[in-house]
Amino acid sequence: TMSLREHALSLFRGALGTVRPAPMLRRALKLQGDGSPQLLVKGQAFPLKRDLYLVGFGKAVLGMAAAAEEILGDHLTRGIINVPLGIQESLQRAGMQEMLLKPHSRIQVIEGAKNNLPDAEALKGAVAIQELAEGLTADDLLLVLISGRGGSALLPAPIPPILLEEKEKLTKLLASRGAAIQELNIVRKTLSVLKGGGLAQLAHPARVVSLILSDVIGDPLDIIASGPTAPSSHSVQDCLEILTKYNLLHSLPKSVEMVLSSSPTKPTAPENYSHVSNIILGSNRLALEEARRQAEGLGYAALVLSAAVQGEVGSVATLYCQMIQLLCLGFSSLAEGPLGDELRGSLLQLAAELQIPGLHLEEFLQALQGLGPDRPVCILAGGETTVQLQGTGKGGRNQELALRVGLGLHKAQATGASSPQGRCEILFLSGGTDGQDGPTEAAGAFCSPGLVAEALQEGLDVEAFLRNNDSYTFFSQFQGGHHLLVTGLTGTNVMDIQAILIRAM
């Protein structure tokens, strides 16, 4: 029998495989017919009347563009993509040739946005994309590849006369006063030529087809990469309210004042987007569905909890610990007792505090009830947690979450709060789909209560590692780093994936 670790690794790889740029595009994009060729995207047909152009921006776009060019062949007239600085060299070094364009490609690659901040190079690429879009006719088709991660920083085109530095300074000021990412994006969009549907409007009357890799909870089209081809649900009014809220309305550069006073007060009407089709190709939900299929193939009863798990890493770890304890009680038919009731109550309260979108915990717990010891159980979830950095250690949110879950389960076992847990074999995995977790080469980690017990026996202070945000050092020191999840660069990103695997001993 395979170990739980081998199973978890296989599920994670399966989930990743389904959102890797090349396979994802090959599944979704087909070219059909010679006489009157058409582009088929997930079954929707788009006739190619004249020229086909391609633009793209974001971290995973290089791999998407390479696959698209292979599919489109000579039908592709020309393309321009904006990608992060140094990405071609990284992929070359990692031996990921399939993510790189072939020599003599018709697609021009511009690298910019060092440290994920808009810069002169990114602006140069954005201007080239803008000029291409403005030159299109009604018979042309523009294929837009959007990868959420880094997509916004790679498409900076402030409305003249605003300078890139002025827009940047304003964004930094807002951030320093505590503006949320949504608020920053609303201000950025309002001052941008291409964001907030601007690219789609400039490409009119050409047909615009956007293929999107989402890195945002809930896949909102107008938020992913600041929504260059989606109608913005915000107006200048919203932007002014945010600037007022952070007391910046009276210290704006002249150029920003000018643009704000001459902008239309209402967002562009949705009917002005009839020439646009926005299609989500890859998302956390799709990756989880694939992992669920694979888990069922391995004999697990598999359930997806949510693709929108968010919140502070400690609270999310507690949620997972209590869920695992409840499951183990069920395995030993004790879930109906007072301990089960207490756990359920506490879980529902925690879920209410975390406000995870689309999480129907009552229904989920109902579904869990029927699962018994005869079949192993796999619970899958995804999203993005946050870590309040207090220490100076190394490790990212996934490694920290894994270690916290392992420690929480070990403590529950030690206090005898859920003795039945002893009859369960438990493994928890959390990993980032981009193959990176914080400043380390690991994408995440595997953890179990047994692992923590062993570490404590060897005299390691697990809580001290957590206080110092040093989960990576813990995992790499202990058992030779066997519990680190190392995938290498994946060339994609749909946030994080968690898997809980439980079987009766």
Side-chain angles (χ1 to χ4, degrees), residues 41-336:
V41 186
K42 283 193 159 180
Q44 288 184 59
F46 301 98
L48 297 182
K49 298 179 197 156
R50 206 180 97 170
D51 293 338
L52 171 59
Y53 294 91
L54 179 150
V55 298
F57 28 90
K59 258 189 185 168
V61 155
L62 193 59
M64 290 166 80
E69 186 165 32
E70 221 168 87
I71 296 162
L72 303 172
D74 288 340
H75 285 281
L76 180 64
T77 308
R78 178 174 160 235
I80 303 170
I81 58 172
N82 259 12
V83 296
L85 190 67
I87 193 163
Q88 294 178 93
E89 196 193 331
S90 308
L91 291 169
Q92 194 92 48
R93 268 206 315 270
M96 295 171 77
Q97 294 320 110
E98 79 279 5
M99 298 261 185
L100 294 165
L101 296 170
K102 302 278 183 287
H104 315 300
S105 162
R106 294 180 184 186
I107 299 172
Q108 177 192 357
V109 180
I110 296 168
E111 292 193 357
K114 188 180 177 184
N115 301 327
N116 202 18
L117 293 168
D119 56 16
E121 283 308 301
L123 180 60
K124 189 178 101 182
V127 169
I129 288 172
Q130 181 182 339
E131 285 170 357
L132 186 149
E134 285 172 335
L136 300 177
T137 71
D139 288 339
D140 293 323
L141 191 142
L142 179 65
L143 194 59
V144 184
L145 306 177
I146 301 177
S147 150
R149 193 51 55 104
S152 193
L154 283 159
L155 200 68
I159 298 171
I162 301 173
L163 299 173
L164 187 59
E165 299 73 65
E166 293 177 317
K167 189 174 160 187
E168 267 320 275
K169 204 171 141 189
L170 181 59
T171 310
K172 280 197 181 121
L173 227 103
L174 274 167
S176 72
R177 295 192 179 184
I181 184 70
Q182 285 81 355
E183 294 177 314
L184 292 177
N185 280 343
I186 291 170
V187 173
R188 278 192 196 126
K189 279 195 303 193
T190 313
L191 304 178
S192 166
V193 177
L194 297 172
K195 296 182 172 119
L199 178 59
Q201 292 306 318
L202 289 175
H204 186 270
R207 191 80 183 110
V208 177
V209 180
S210 282
L211 308 182
I212 301 167
L213 182 62
S214 167
D215 68 328
V216 182
I217 282 178
D219 311 329
L221 291 172
D222 67 328
I223 301 287
I224 303 165
S226 299
T229 57
S232 171
S233 47
H234 305 106
S235 64
V236 170
Q237 209 41 52
D238 298 310
C239 178
L240 292 170
E241 275 169 24
I242 294 164
L243 293 170
T244 307
K245 176 178 168 184
Y246 295 103
N247 210 4
L248 287 168
L249 204 51
H250 303 297
S251 50
L252 295 174
K254 282 276 165 283
S255 56
V256 174
E257 279 184 11
M258 237 171 91
V259 166
L260 289 175
S261 62
S262 60
S263 294
T265 46
K266 287 192 171 57
T268 312
E271 57 267 24
N272 294 4
Y273 288 83
S274 56
H275 63 300
V276 184
S277 301
N278 286 304
I279 298 161
I280 299 240
L281 284 199
S283 65
N284 192 273
R285 183 168 302 288
L286 288 166
L288 289 174
E289 281 306 319
E290 180 56 32
R292 186 177 63 84
R293 265 203 300 282
Q294 304 233 354
E296 284 172 350
L298 290 168
Y300 285 84
L303 294 168
V304 174
L305 173 70
S306 165
V309 173
Q310 55 187 13
E312 211 280 310
V313 66
S315 307
V316 174
T318 306
L319 182 83
Y320 287 145
C321 284
Q322 293 180 346
M323 200 167 278
I324 293 165
Q325 287 165 261
L326 197 58
L327 248 171
C328 289
L329 283 178
F331 270 30
S332 33
S333 320
L334 295 171
E336 296 312 305

Side-chain angles (χ1 to χ4, degrees), residues 37 240 465 471 476:
L240 292 170
F465 281 103
S471 48
S476 50

Side-chain angles (χ1 to χ4, degrees), residues 301-381:
L303 294 168
V304 174
L305 173 70
S306 165
V309 173
Q310 55 187 13
E312 211 280 310
V313 66
S315 307
V316 174
T318 306
L319 182 83
Y320 287 145
C321 284
Q322 293 180 346
M323 200 167 278
I324 293 165
Q325 287 165 261
L326 197 58
L327 248 171
C328 289
L329 283 178
F331 270 30
S332 33
S333 320
L334 295 171
E336 296 312 305
L339 186 57
D341 293 342
E342 190 189 323
L343 272 171
R344 251 191 304 274
S346 160
L347 259 173
L348 290 167
Q349 191 186 338
L350 189 55
E353 283 166 25
L354 282 167
Q355 293 188 328
I356 294 168
L359 171 59
H360 305 295
L361 194 61
E362 293 269 14
E363 286 167 41
F364 188 80
L365 294 178
Q366 219 53 72
L368 278 189
Q369 269 179 342
L371 306 178
D374 39 345
R375 254 176 100 189
V377 174
C378 170
I379 296 176
L380 296 155

